[in-house]
């Protein structure tokens, strides 16, 4: 059982993908899953669940000790420099 690090950006050279890869290297027991390299089908609520790539992904999620999702942020409304919110921010924003 390992941590599953999922990169959701489809853009080549994505900073969130770079971050996810670096995290995978630094976390001892982790596996990198890239949606750009492993595209999943649109959910139709029916037949997509039986596709081999979806079954494989579901197994990875089910067997993971934890899941870390790296998502691109194109417009951040939270500013790290805002003094009233510094204590409540528990994630980093990469612009």
């Amino acid at each position: 059982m390992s941590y599953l690090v999922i990169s959701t950006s489809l853009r080549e050279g994505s900073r969130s993908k770079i971050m996810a890869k670096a995290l995978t290297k630094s976390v001892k027991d982790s596996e990198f899953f890239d949606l750009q390299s492993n595209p999943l089908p649109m959910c139709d609520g029916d037949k997509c669940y039986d596709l081999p790539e979806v079954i494989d992904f579901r197994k990875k999620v089910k067997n993971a000790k934890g899941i870390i999702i790296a998502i691109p942020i194109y417009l951040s409304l939270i500013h790290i420099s805002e003094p009233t919110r510094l204590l409540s921010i528990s994630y980093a924003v990469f612009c």
Side-chain angles (χ1 to χ4, degrees):
M1 195 181 296
S2 64
Y3 292 98
L4 181 61
V5 180
I6 303 170
S7 174
T8 63
S9 179
L10 302 179
R11 185 176 66 83
E12 197 62 46
S14 159
R15 290 182 182 173
S16 60
K17 182 187 293 189
I18 293 167
M19 179 188 68
K21 284 182 177 180
L23 181 66
T24 304
K25 287 180 184 176
S26 66
V27 174
K28 185 188 269 186
D29 191 21
S30 63
E31 177 182 355
F32 179 72
F33 186 88
D34 182 17
L35 285 177
Q36 185 179 38
S37 303
N38 303 287
L40 295 174
M42 294 296 289
C43 181
D44 61 5
D46 186 24
K47 296 176 184 169
C48 70
Y49 297 110
D50 297 326
L51 296 173
E53 60 270 28
V54 175
I55 291 170
D56 182 52
F57 181 69
R58 289 173 62 197
K59 285 179 186 174
K60 291 176 187 296
V61 170
K62 183 178 180 180
N63 295 328
K65 187 185 318 182
I67 300 169
I68 302 163
I69 303 173
I71 59 171
I73 298 174
Y74 297 106
L75 174 64
S76 172
L77 299 177
I78 298 174
H79 300 282
I80 297 293
S81 62
E82 188 178 335
T84 58
R85 299 190 57 145
L86 285 177
L87 295 178
S88 64
I89 296 174
S90 60
Y91 55 89
V93 177
F94 295 92
C95 298

